[in-house]
């Protein structure tokens, strides 16, 4: 800070003090006990790296905090880490008993320790304990009580001081060291001690800080604070000098050019300006967990971190939210706040409280005291017509200075509103309906309860520009009614939940646009305009373009016509200025503040400040105040992968650049840890994991990690955003296919598939050829068989034909034989006649002629046996089975019997048979008789019929 700036600052500070009285800083205090960070209670030092990650020297080791998660890393021999310092280039130096080294973070992994013990040749080092470290990008200084170790150019020089070393400090790029009872020394370029001051009064120095342009501020343990100009010391004009001497200074640092933080052994933290004026005191009484401050560190956001003898504390000095907490529990839950006649009034569940109020900076919440004897629930406070109206669980009263006048004591008052077109009438929602107040003779008086609202608990009420009255029933939702002209009754009333166009599970609320007087309905389904005449809701999608996701807010609160507050959860609120394109988020510290669910209330205070009611006190949001530099892009802190049944931190072998990892299929489960590196606000995260460009975002969550087990092979895009910013980070994840589904495997599968197809085609062709050959063979065999069958059939047919021809010829032959036999008989008779004629012929010539004729006839007669054989063969051809069956049945038959049977079958008479057998008819009869005996034929049976029918028997 140059002298001109310093002078201007002092002028402004003095003016502000004159205007507003004594200024006091009331920072937000966030305690982290050991059960939160899971390490030992005692913490010795604090530092922060270039990525805003915080590191603490703890009795258990190095404690790392990224705003979301705590992790502890131990030194090789589990030593206490008292000193810790970041060099701004990724190295975190730590020291312990006989140990110095640095930690480096692996990309998306844990921290790896590198010991520097091998660079130290001092034989006493193994018995030295490192208490403090000062690191820069080019060098690091390690301090024990008897040695200093200076690291430069990868070499460590041991510096032996002329006495017991207290602590080193770095001021304006130079190291300063207090040697006990010998003054202050500096370390030159060669690493040697050079005396700066030997004033014994300035001893046990616990901080040396730059002051002004070229002076230094020196804080001692018990002698107070001095200003050193390089030659002489003079006391620093500290308003609380006695307090510091009594409680013993332990450390100190500049928070900004005009804010000094001093930690003590037993008095907590003292905040003072550059002139020594105390502007804040933080100890156990104000919420600090422990009064012993072992180290102070100013973070990148200008806030303060304390390493305590018991725990860790964050002192939020730069925040856009100031908290006024009810630490004693006397005030309770705040429902409403009003500034009236230089008092701040708070309506709470414990009653009505007030305290003097001139400005927020000078306001002391501890000064709130009960007012008017009101206890129990006090719901509403509103300044109307320059008077303060207060609704409580018993009545509605008017407050003026110290006077309280009851207006209505028959019902509790919830929400009171004036009529815009008739300033002489007020309407109030009460436990038992809508109450009417009228101004008569300059005094407000209760008039009546509007008939039709009797016994309706109305906890919220608004009046739109048309005169319709919107009320919220405590249990049944939102109603809109048209009052009578005299406000004594209702002309018409309609229920919003039953309106046409109402969404399911709407849970409606409503708000008045103070700019135009129109009342709109809102729910998580969106914002709706309402037509009372048709009882119809119309969603105003035209607002979605401006409001985005806040179009679906559960609660909307106007801000004096300048903008709107949106509430979707208990983590914070969002403000949208009517003149600004973007909404701004304000997140709460959930450890010390929470909204009153169902009774959220934000009350304007100034053009940029608003009161917001909470469960244990209230807060003030300053829309133009400091915003954290860390509230921007979230960061992936660590990635754990699943392998062999458990998760372990990823290593560099999985990286493909800085924003992509490639995982084998067997390690396809991972946990992604992330943070916004914001230490002053509760951050909500939303993430997306997709295989394409269409991001499907998750619900908002406070959880700072997400596990993705059993991811299928493919390329994924992980996206992450916070509720503090619209910025999004993108990270790429590749899950390789299993070995049996890799690129080469797929190529092998394609080749194998092609080979299988080729073999299958060949096999199929071979099979077809074989089948075709077999079929051809079968067809040839079938053709041959068919041909053989055909030939056989032809032969059979020919044989049958020949047989038939033979039969016919045999029959013809038989007939011929019969004819011959007949002719023979004729010739025989003729011969007989000739023979007889010869007896009577007288001439020789006749005799001779007859003799020749007789010889010729004898020749024909001699051929009788041949003719018989011819007949017999012909008969057998015709009746080939007759003789066989006859002999099988009657084997004693002779050839003569068979011949007689054949003639009988031919149905020849005895006379016809006699010449054929060349016997007489008597001889035929005898043969017939003998044949009957042999075949045992009954007397009444005819032998001829028997032979004819024999084959059919």
């Amino acid at each position: 800070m140059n002298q001109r700036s310093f002078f201007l600052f002092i002028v402004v500070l003095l003016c502000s003090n004159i205007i507003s009285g004594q200024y006091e800083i009331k920072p937000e205090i966030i305690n982290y006990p050991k059960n939160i960070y899971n390490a030992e209670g005692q913490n010795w030092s604090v530092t922060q790296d270039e990525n805003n990650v915080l590191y603490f020297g703890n009795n258990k080791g190095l404690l790392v905090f990224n705003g979301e998660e705590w992790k502890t890393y131990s030194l090789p021999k589990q030593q206490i880490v008292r000193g810790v310092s970041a060099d701004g280039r990724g190295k975190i130096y730590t020291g312990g008993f006989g140990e110095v080294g640095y930690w480096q973070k692996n990309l998306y992994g844990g921290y790896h320790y590198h010991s520097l013990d091998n660079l130290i040749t001092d034989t006493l080092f193994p018995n030295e304990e490192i208490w403090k470290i000062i690191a820069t990008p080019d060098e690091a200084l390690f301090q024990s009580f008897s040695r200093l170790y200076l690291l430069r150019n990868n070499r460590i020089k041991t510096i032996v001081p002329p006495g017991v070393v207290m602590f080193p400090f770095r001021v304006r790029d130079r190291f300063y060291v207090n040697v006990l009872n010998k003054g202050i020394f500096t370390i030159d370029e060669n690493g040697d001690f050079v005396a700066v001051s030997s004033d014994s009064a300035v001893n046990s120095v616990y901080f040396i800080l730059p002051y002004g342009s070229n002076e230094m501020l020196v804080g001692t343990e018990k002698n107070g604070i001095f200003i050193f100009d390089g030659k002489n010391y003079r006391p620093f004009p500290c308003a609380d000098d006695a307090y510091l001497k009594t409680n013993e200074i332990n450390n100190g640092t500049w928070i900004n050019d005009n804010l000094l933080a001093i930690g003590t052994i037993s008095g907590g933290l003292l905040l003072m300006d550059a002139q020594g004026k105390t502007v804040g005191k933080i100890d156990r009484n104000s919420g600090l967990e422990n009064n012993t401050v072992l180290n102070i560190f100013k973070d990148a956001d200008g806030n303060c971190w304390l390493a305590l003898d018991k725990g860790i504390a964050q002192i939020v000095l730069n925040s856009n939210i100031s908290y006024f907490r009810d630490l004693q529990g006397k005030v309770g839950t705040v429902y409403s706040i009003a500034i009236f006649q230089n008092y701040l009034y708070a309506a709470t569940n414990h009653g009505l409280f007030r305290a003097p109020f001139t400005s927020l900076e000078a306001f002391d919440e501890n000064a709130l005291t009960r007012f008017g004897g009101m206890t129990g629930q006090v719901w509403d406070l509103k300044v109307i017509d320059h008077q303060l109206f207060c609704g409580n669980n018993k009545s509605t009263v008017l407050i003026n200075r110290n006077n309280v006048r009851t207006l209505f004591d028959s019902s509790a008052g919830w929400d009171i509103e004036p009529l815009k077109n008739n300033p002489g009438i007020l309407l109030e929602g009460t436990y038992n309906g809508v109450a009417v107040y009228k101004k008569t003779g300059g005094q407000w008086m209760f008039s009546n309860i509007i008939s039709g609202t009797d016994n309706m608990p109305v906890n919220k009420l608004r009046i739109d520009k048309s005169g319709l009255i919107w009320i919220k029933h405590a249990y049944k939702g939102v109603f809109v009614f048209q009052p009578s002209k005299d406000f004594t009754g209702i002309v018409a009333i309609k229920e919003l939940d039953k309106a046409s166009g109402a969404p399911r599970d709407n849970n409606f609320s409503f708000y008045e646009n103070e700019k135009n007087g129109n009342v709109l309905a809102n729910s998580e389904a969106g914002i709706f305009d309402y037509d009372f005449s048709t009882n119809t809701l119309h969603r105003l999608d035209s607002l979605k373009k401006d409001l985005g996701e806040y179009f679906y807010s559960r609660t909307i609160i106007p801000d004096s016509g300048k903008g709107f507050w949106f509430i979707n959860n208990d983590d914070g609120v969002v403000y949208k200025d009517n003149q600004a394109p973007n909404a701004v988020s304000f997140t709460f510290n959930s450890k010390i503040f929470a909204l009153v669910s169902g009774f959220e209330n934000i009350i304007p205070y100034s053009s940029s400040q608003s009161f917001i009611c909470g469960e244990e006190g209230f807060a003030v949001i300053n829309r133009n105040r400091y915003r954290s530099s860390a509230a921007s892009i979230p960061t992936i802190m660590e990635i754990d992968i699943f392998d062999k049944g458990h998760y372990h931190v990823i290593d560099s072998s999985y990286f493909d650049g800085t924003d992509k990892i490639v995982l084998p299929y067997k390690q396809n489960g991972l946990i992604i840890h992330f943070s916004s590196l914001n230490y002053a606000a509760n951050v909500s995260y939303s993430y997306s994991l997709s295989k394409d460009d269409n991001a499907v975002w998750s619900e908002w969550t406070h959880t700072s990690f997400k596990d993705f087990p059993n991811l299928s092979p493919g390329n994924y895009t992980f996206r992450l955003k916070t509720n503090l910013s619209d910025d999004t980070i993108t990270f790429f994840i590749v899950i390789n296919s299993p070995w049996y589904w890799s690129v080469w495997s797929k190529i092998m599968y394609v080749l194998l598939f092609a080979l299988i197809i080729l073999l299958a085609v060949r096999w199929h062709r071979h099979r077809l050829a074989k089948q075709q050959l077999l079929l051809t063979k079968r067809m040839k065999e079938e053709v041959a068989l068919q041909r053989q069958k055909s030939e056989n059939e032809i032969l059979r047919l020919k044989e049958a034909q020949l047989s038939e021809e033979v039969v016919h010829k045999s029959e013809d032959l038989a007939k011929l034989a019969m004819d011959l036999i007949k002719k023979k008989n004729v010739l025989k008779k003729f011969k007989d006649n000739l023979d007889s004629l010869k007896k009577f012929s007288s001439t020789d010539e006749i005799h001779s002629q007859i003799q020749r004729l007789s010889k010729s006839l004898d020749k024909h007669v001699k051929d009788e046996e041949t003719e018989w054989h011819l007949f017999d063969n012909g008969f057998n051809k015709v009746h080939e089975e007759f003789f066989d069956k006859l002999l099988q049945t009657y084997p004693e038959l002779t050839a003569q019997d068979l011949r007689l049977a054949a003639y009988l079958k031919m149905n020849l008479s005895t006379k016809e048979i006699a010449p054929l057998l060349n016997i007489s008819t008597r001889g035929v009869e005898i043969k017939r008789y003998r044949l009957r005996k042999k075949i045992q034929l009954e007397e009444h049976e005819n032998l001829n019929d028997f032979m004819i029918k024999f084959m059919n028997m």
Side-chain angles (χ1 to χ4, degrees):
M1 179 186 294
N2 58 43
Q3 290 180 338
R4 182 183 178 188
S5 299
F6 185 78
F7 175 78
L8 290 175
F9 184 86
I10 295 302
V11 172
V12 172
L13 182 64
L14 290 174
C15 292
S16 64
N17 286 339
I18 293 172
I19 294 172
S20 59
Q22 184 177 357
Y23 174 73
E24 183 179 0
I25 295 176
K26 295 182 179 180
E28 176 184 343
I29 303 170
I30 304 174
N31 288 302
Y32 297 94
K34 67 178 183 179
N35 63 311
I36 295 294
Y37 55 75
N38 293 319
E40 296 296 337
Q42 198 170 42
N43 297 277
W44 296 96
S45 53
V46 192
T47 191
Q48 188 174 37
D49 68 10
E50 66 278 8
N51 296 316
N52 288 347
V53 178
L54 288 166
Y55 305 86
F56 301 84
N58 183 271
N59 280 0
K60 194 174 182 179
L62 176 67
L63 190 59
V64 183
F65 183 44
N66 60 28
E68 296 290 353
E69 294 181 319
W70 296 85
K71 288 201 172 182
T72 305
Y73 297 88
S74 298
L75 287 175
K77 296 181 181 179
Q78 313 296 315
Q79 299 100 318
I80 294 172
V81 174
R82 300 188 191 275
V84 59
S85 182
D87 72 347
R89 291 185 177 178
K91 293 181 179 179
I92 312 301
Y93 288 94
T94 59
F97 185 80
E99 179 69 40
V100 293
Y102 65 89
W103 302 79
Q104 277 188 312
K105 186 179 186 300
N106 299 323
L107 184 61
Y108 306 122
Y111 288 81
H112 181 67
Y113 182 68
H114 304 266
S115 177
L116 298 176
D117 293 356
N118 61 314
L119 300 179
I120 300 177
T121 59
D122 181 23
T123 57
L124 296 181
F125 173 71
N127 296 315
E128 294 291 320
E129 184 167 19
I130 303 301
W131 281 82
K132 186 172 181 178
I133 304 171
I134 301 175
T136 70
D138 301 317
E139 59 187 0
L141 184 68
F142 305 89
Q143 174 253 325
S144 71
F145 285 129
S146 64
R147 292 286 192 273
L148 292 176
Y149 301 95
L150 181 62
L151 171 66
R152 284 179 180 171
N153 301 321
N154 203 34
R155 296 179 64 185
I156 293 181
K157 179 179 180 180
T158 301
I159 304 173
V160 180
V164 176
V165 176
M166 290 304 296
F167 296 105
F169 308 97
R170 187 174 178 87
V171 180
R172 300 187 184 101
D173 298 328
R174 296 186 67 182
F175 290 114
Y176 291 88
V177 181
N178 172 227
V179 178
L180 198 61
N181 299 319
K182 293 186 179 181
I184 296 176
F185 292 77
T186 187
I187 300 175
D188 64 15
E189 294 297 326
N190 297 321
D192 297 324
F193 275 98
V194 178
V196 174
S197 167
S198 60
D199 192 334
S200 60
V202 181
N203 203 18
S204 296
V205 174
Y206 279 81
F207 70 77
I208 301 176
L209 300 172
Y211 187 74
S213 58
N214 53 20
E215 295 179 316
M216 291 188 295
L217 208 60
V218 180
T220 65
E221 182 182 17
K222 297 180 181 180
N223 295 327
I225 305 172
F226 297 87
I227 299 175
F228 180 57
D229 61 8
K231 295 181 180 180
N232 301 308
Y233 293 93
R234 67 180 185 273
F236 178 67
C238 178
D240 275 312
D241 184 63
Y243 182 87
L244 293 176
K245 291 178 179 179
T246 301
N247 291 286
E248 300 183 16
I249 293 174
N250 198 39
N251 40 66
T253 188
W254 285 110
I255 303 301
N256 56 47
D257 290 341
N258 192 48
L259 184 61
L260 176 64
I262 301 175
T264 68
I265 292 295
S266 57
L269 186 73
L270 195 69
L271 299 175
M272 63 176 64
D273 61 21
Q275 291 69 48
K277 181 179 179 181
T278 300
V279 295
K281 190 178 292 183
I282 300 170
D283 54 18
R284 288 182 62 86
N285 292 330
S286 56
L288 196 64
E289 186 174 2
N290 182 263
N291 277 345
T292 302
V293 180
L294 298 180
N295 190 231
I296 307 172
F297 182 82
K298 183 191 78 171
D299 69 12
D301 293 326
N303 296 314
C304 186
W305 290 84
L306 308 181
L308 303 176
D309 194 53
K310 182 181 178 183
I312 295 169
Q314 179 189 5
I315 311 301
V316 183
L317 299 166
N318 289 323
S319 174
N320 44 30
I321 302 178
S322 299
Y323 298 96
F324 296 84
R325 301 171 62 196
D326 176 27
L327 296 177
Q328 288 75 34
K330 67 178 182 179
V331 175
T333 299
V334 177
Y335 296 120
S336 184
I337 289 175
I339 305 297
F340 183 66
Q341 296 176 341
N342 296 324
Y343 283 95
L344 183 146
Y345 290 83
T348 80
N349 65 336
H350 291 175
L352 180 64
F353 293 82
R354 79 172 185 178
F357 184 89
T358 55
S359 69
L360 284 172
E361 292 78 11
F363 178 72
D364 181 8
E365 65 270 30
N366 295 318
L368 285 168
T369 56
R370 193 180 305 278
F371 176 75
M374 277 183 267
T375 59
Q377 302 280 359
V378 177
W379 298 108
D380 187 37
L381 289 169
K382 280 194 178 71
V383 178
I384 303 173
D385 191 29
H386 307 292
Q387 299 183 66
L388 180 58
F389 289 78
C390 174
N392 58 74
N393 64 340
K394 295 180 181 178
S395 62
T396 300
V397 300
L398 261 176
I399 297 173
N400 187 12
R401 299 283 177 193
N402 295 324
N403 298 321
V404 176
R405 181 168 68 90
T406 301
L407 292 177
F408 181 43
D409 60 1
S410 296
S411 181
W414 243 324
D415 186 14
I416 192 166
E417 294 289 331
L419 285 177
K420 295 178 178 58
N421 55 359
N422 190 343
I425 296 178
L426 303 176
L427 301 181
E428 183 183 36
T430 73
Y431 284 13
N432 297 304
V434 177
V436 180
Y437 298 90
K438 294 182 180 180
K439 192 174 184 180
T440 305
Q443 294 288 325
W444 287 102
M445 304 293 292
F446 170 74
S447 174
N448 60 276
I449 295 289
I450 296 178
S451 178
T453 67
D454 316 68
N455 300 319
M456 290 181 67
V458 177
N459 60 16
K460 187 177 180 181
L461 179 148
R462 290 293 182 273
I463 306 159
D464 71 13
K465 59 184 178 181
S466 66
L468 292 173
I469 300 174
W470 293 60
I471 59 175
K472 188 168 185 180
H473 193 288
Y475 311 106
K476 294 184 179 180
V478 175
F479 294 82
V480 183
F481 70 86
Q482 179 183 353
S484 61
K485 292 183 179 180
D486 58 1
F487 292 96
T488 59
I490 291 176
V491 176
I493 186 169
K494 296 178 181 179
E495 188 175 355
L496 216 61
D497 290 355
K498 297 180 180 179
S500 175
R504 293 182 180 178
D505 303 325
N506 46 69
N507 193 22
F508 274 120
S509 184
F510 55 81
Y511 67 97
E512 179 187 0
N513 188 336
E514 297 173 348
K515 202 170 183 179
N516 57 25
N518 191 27
V519 177
L520 298 175
N522 69 279
S523 73
E524 293 181 356
I527 300 173
F528 296 80
D529 191 12
Y530 178 62
D531 188 333
F532 183 77
S533 61
T534 60
N535 195 27
T536 303
L537 284 163
H538 304 277
R539 196 168 77 165
L540 298 175
D541 290 333
S542 59
L543 296 177
K544 286 176 64 177
K545 183 177 180 181
D546 291 335
L547 300 181
E549 61 183 296
Y550 306 114
F551 179 76
Y552 304 98
S553 298
R554 76 184 190 195
T555 302
I556 301 176
I557 301 174
D559 181 47
S560 301
K562 298 174 183 178
F564 295 91
W565 294 97
F566 301 96
I567 301 174
N568 286 310
N569 49 55
D570 296 333
D571 300 333
V573 295
V574 175
Y575 184 76
K576 174 68 169 64
D577 193 301
N578 291 328
Q579 306 301 321
N582 298 320
V584 180
S585 297
F586 299 88
T587 55
F588 304 130
N589 179 355
S590 62
K591 300 178 182 66
I592 61 175
F593 186 83
L595 291 169
V596 186
S597 182
F599 294 91
E600 298 90 348
N601 197 5
I602 301 177
I603 303 104
Y605 167 65
S606 67
S607 60
S608 62
Q609 294 172 303
S610 298
F611 291 104
I612 184 162
C613 301
E615 290 185 349
E616 295 180 353
F618 63 92
V620 175
I621 296 177
N622 190 334
R623 299 193 299 276
N624 295 336
R625 199 174 173 184
Y626 168 86
R627 291 177 190 165
S628 172
S629 60
S632 54
I633 302 175
T635 302
I636 293 178
M637 304 303 300
E638 182 178 304
I639 298 176
D640 301 332
I641 60 172
F642 187 78
D643 184 29
K644 297 180 180 179
H646 66 278
Y647 283 94
H648 63 83
V649 179
I650 200 168
D651 59 49
S652 59
S653 64
Y654 296 92
F655 298 132
D656 183 6
T658 59
D659 60 352
K660 181 179 179 181
I661 59 171
V662 181
L663 301 177
Y665 178 72
K666 288 186 177 180
Q667 298 173 345
N668 61 343
L670 70 160
I671 300 177
I672 301 177
H673 300 259
F674 37 80
S675 172
S676 70
L677 294 168
N678 187 297
Y679 302 96
N682 288 331
V683 184
S684 295
Y685 299 91
S686 180
Y687 51 83
S688 166
L689 185 71
S690 60
K691 285 188 174 182
D692 49 39
D693 294 331
N694 298 321
V696 179
W697 293 96
S698 69
E699 296 292 332
W700 290 104
T701 177
H702 291 304
T703 304
S704 61
F705 66 89
K706 175 58 184 174
D707 61 323
F708 298 102
N710 299 320
L711 291 176
S712 59
N715 298 327
Y716 294 88
T717 301
F718 175 77
R719 298 176 178 88
L720 178 68
K721 62 183 179 181
T722 72
N723 62 327
L724 304 180
S725 171
D726 292 330
D727 294 320
T728 300
I729 65 166
T730 302
F731 188 79
F732 302 98
I733 302 168
V734 178
I735 305 296
N736 283 333
S737 300
W739 64 268
Y740 51 82
W741 199 242
S742 64
V743 175
W744 290 108
S745 297
K746 290 179 181 178
I747 294 173
M748 291 297 298
Y749 294 151
V750 171
L751 294 176
L752 183 60
F753 184 68
L755 180 61
I756 292 173
I757 291 177
L758 179 63
L759 293 175
V761 170
R762 288 188 176 182
W763 177 80
H764 185 64
R765 287 178 179 175
H766 175 73
R767 181 170 169 271
L768 288 178
K770 187 175 180 180
Q771 288 181 345
Q772 188 174 6
L773 184 63
L774 182 61
L775 184 61
T776 302
K777 183 178 179 182
R778 287 180 181 176
M779 288 180 66
K780 286 182 180 180
E781 290 177 352
E782 289 179 0
V783 168
L785 182 62
Q786 188 66 31
R787 183 183 297 163
Q788 185 67 34
K789 287 182 179 181
S790 298
E791 290 177 355
N792 291 339
E793 183 67 19
I794 291 172
L795 290 175
R796 188 186 66 78
L797 291 174
K798 286 183 178 181
E799 183 179 1
Q801 183 180 3
L802 290 175
S803 298
E804 187 176 355
E805 289 179 357
V806 168
V807 170
H808 286 301
K809 289 180 179 181
S810 297
E811 289 179 349
D812 292 342
L813 182 60
K815 290 181 180 179
L816 177 61
M818 292 302 297
D819 290 341
L820 290 174
I821 291 171
K822 289 180 180 179
K823 289 178 181 180
K824 183 177 179 181
N825 290 333
V826 172
L827 288 175
K828 189 175 181 182
K829 286 183 179 181
F830 182 68
K831 179 179 178 298
D832 291 340
N833 290 333
L834 286 178
D835 288 339
S836 62
L837 180 62
K838 185 174 74 172
K839 293 178 179 179
F840 299 103
S841 176
S842 56
T843 64
D844 293 335
E845 185 179 352
I846 294 171
H847 180 76
S848 176
Q849 189 68 29
I850 292 171
Q851 190 174 5
R852 286 195 297 273
L853 181 61
S854 177
K855 288 180 180 179
S856 176
L857 289 174
D858 285 338
K859 183 179 178 181
H860 288 289
V861 172
K862 288 179 181 179
D863 291 336
E864 179 180 356
E865 285 299 321
T866 303
E867 292 172 351
W868 163 248
H869 287 297
L870 183 62
F871 168 79
D872 190 34
N873 291 334
F875 183 87
N876 285 334
K877 292 292 183 182
V878 177
H879 305 288
E880 60 181 348
E881 295 180 357
F882 177 75
F883 288 146
D884 294 336
K885 183 177 181 181
L886 195 63
L887 284 172
Q888 288 178 359
T889 308
Y890 308 104
E892 66 274 10
L893 295 178
T894 64
Q896 289 296 322
D897 294 332
L898 293 175
R899 183 178 293 181
L900 175 60
Y903 293 152
L904 292 173
K905 182 170 180 62
M906 294 177 64
N907 201 22
L908 296 180
S909 64
T910 302
K911 290 183 179 181
E912 292 174 331
I913 295 171
L916 292 173
L917 296 178
N918 199 20
I919 59 176
S920 64
T921 56
R922 178 64 180 166
V924 173
E925 289 293 336
I926 293 170
K927 286 185 177 292
R928 286 173 61 97
Y929 175 77
R930 290 175 180 172
L931 183 59
R932 288 178 66 92
K933 287 289 187 180
K934 289 181 178 180
I935 62 176
Q936 298 177 358
L937 191 67
E938 298 293 334
E939 291 183 0
H940 64 274
E941 291 183 297
N942 187 280
L943 184 60
N944 283 46
D945 292 340
F946 176 81
M947 291 301 172
I948 292 171
K949 298 177 181 178
F950 178 73
M951 290 303 294
N952 297 325
M953 292 181 181

